[in-house]
Amino acid sequence: MSGRTGGGLFTRPHTPVGTWLKIASTEPAEIMAFAGFDFVVVDLEHAPLDLVTAYRLINTAAALGVTPIVRVPDKTPSTIQKILDAGAMGILVPHVDTVEEAAAVGRACRFPPHGVRGAGGTSRAGSWGLKPNAEYLAAGNDDVLCIPQLESVEAIKAAPEMLALDTVDAVFVGAADLSMSMGSTPTSPEVLDLVASAISAAHDAGKKCGLAFGGVPDRAAEAVRDGCDFVLLSNDTTMLADAARTLVRAFRDATS
């Protein structure tokens, strides 16, 4: 059973709620902090963000008390290492389908003897070399969250084995990609059954399972009642787009 909390994310007195960051600017990270989100996920998979921008977003979120998690674009250990040395408190890895892939990702997140992550104590994660090396190494092994993203039937079936790995702390079900791989929809009974099985597997292992819900907080709240442990709502670009469209439509309606 993993005791890692991602900088206290999983020890809060309420269900953690986060959002995706896709805009290459630090202002959205500040806004999400002021809005009350518990964590943000910097999206390097589906947004045109580079490592330098991710670094700045991580720093901004952390400085404002928001847990910075990064969705990496792939399973490459070198990318994971750079993101962790930038100060991310968690790594979300897309399309992890097998226990072997989950084990490799977990090793990339941990220092030896638990993994293969290289030491970089002069980075931000090591307070630029000012943090004692033992403390830097302990934080990397004991606090940073490793979260495989389950997006296929194969991945859901492998979830119990993945969650049995000490280097894996939680799973995140990508219901959109999961349903597409099945030729279905995220709210279809067969997809909901698979999501429920992932939640059950996580709880059996004493770990967490998260989901994303776009801009539908009622569905997210229902999922929490059904056992989901952390949720993502919308993203910075969609919030801006929705607010802009609502404002323009209201003006057009008022002047028509």
Side-chain angles (χ1 to χ4, degrees):
M1 173 175 168
S2 168
R4 302 180 191 97
T5 64
L9 180 64
F10 289 152
T11 60
R12 298 182 187 229
H14 53 261
T15 302
V17 57
T19 191
W20 307 95
L21 295 182
K22 298 173 179 287
I23 296 174
S25 173
T26 57
E27 282 81 2
E30 294 181 48
I31 291 169
M32 301 313 166
F34 298 142
F37 282 99
D38 300 294
F39 69 99
V40 292
V41 179
V42 180
D43 192 359
L44 297 188
E45 183 190 17
H46 287 298
L49 303 178
D50 59 20
L51 286 172
V52 173
T53 303
Y55 179 97
R56 291 171 178 159
L57 291 169
I58 291 166
N59 187 40
T60 299
L64 293 171
V66 175
T67 300
I69 296 174
V70 176
R71 177 159 68 175
V72 291
D74 51 45
K75 307 174 188 72
T76 307
S78 60
T79 300
I80 292 173
Q81 179 169 296
K82 289 178 181 178
I83 290 299
L84 290 178
D85 276 339
M89 295 307 301
I91 298 290
L92 182 63
V93 188
H95 300 290
V96 177
D97 294 317
T98 67
V99 66
E100 291 80 12
E101 290 178 342
V105 167
R107 287 194 299 272
C109 291
R110 311 294 171 211
F111 296 115
H114 309 288
V116 297
R117 178 183 169 190
T122 56
S123 64
R124 182 178 181 275
S127 300
W128 314 116
L130 300 178
K131 182 180 292 185
N133 193 57
E135 184 180 337
Y136 160 73
L137 296 176
N141 281 333
D142 298 338
D143 202 21
V144 170
L145 299 173
C146 174
I147 310 173
Q149 189 161 318
L150 313 181
E151 302 177 85
S152 68
V153 174
E154 180 185 12
I156 299 292
K157 290 181 177 178
E161 292 180 87
M162 294 185 194
L163 287 155
L165 299 168
D166 184 58
T167 51
V168 169
D169 305 290
V171 291
F172 180 85
V173 181
D177 281 343
L178 173 62
S179 63
M180 283 196 298
S181 74
M182 300 168 62
S184 187
T185 64
T187 57
S188 65
E190 60 270 24
V191 173
L192 293 177
D193 285 345
L194 290 173
V195 171
S197 72
I199 293 173
S200 178
H203 293 175
D204 287 345
K207 297 180 181 179
K208 309 292 185 181
C209 182
L211 296 163
F213 292 93
V216 192
D218 290 346
R219 277 183 52 211
E222 182 180 354
V224 170
R225 289 191 289 270
D226 290 337
C228 178
D229 301 293
F230 60 101
V231 299
L232 279 154
L233 293 176
S234 196
N235 61 79
D236 52 4
T237 55
T238 299
M239 290 184 210
L240 176 61
D242 285 345
R245 181 170 58 185
T246 298
L247 187 63
V248 171
R249 284 182 174 176
F251 173 75
R252 299 298 184 206
D253 289 344
T255 55
S256 63

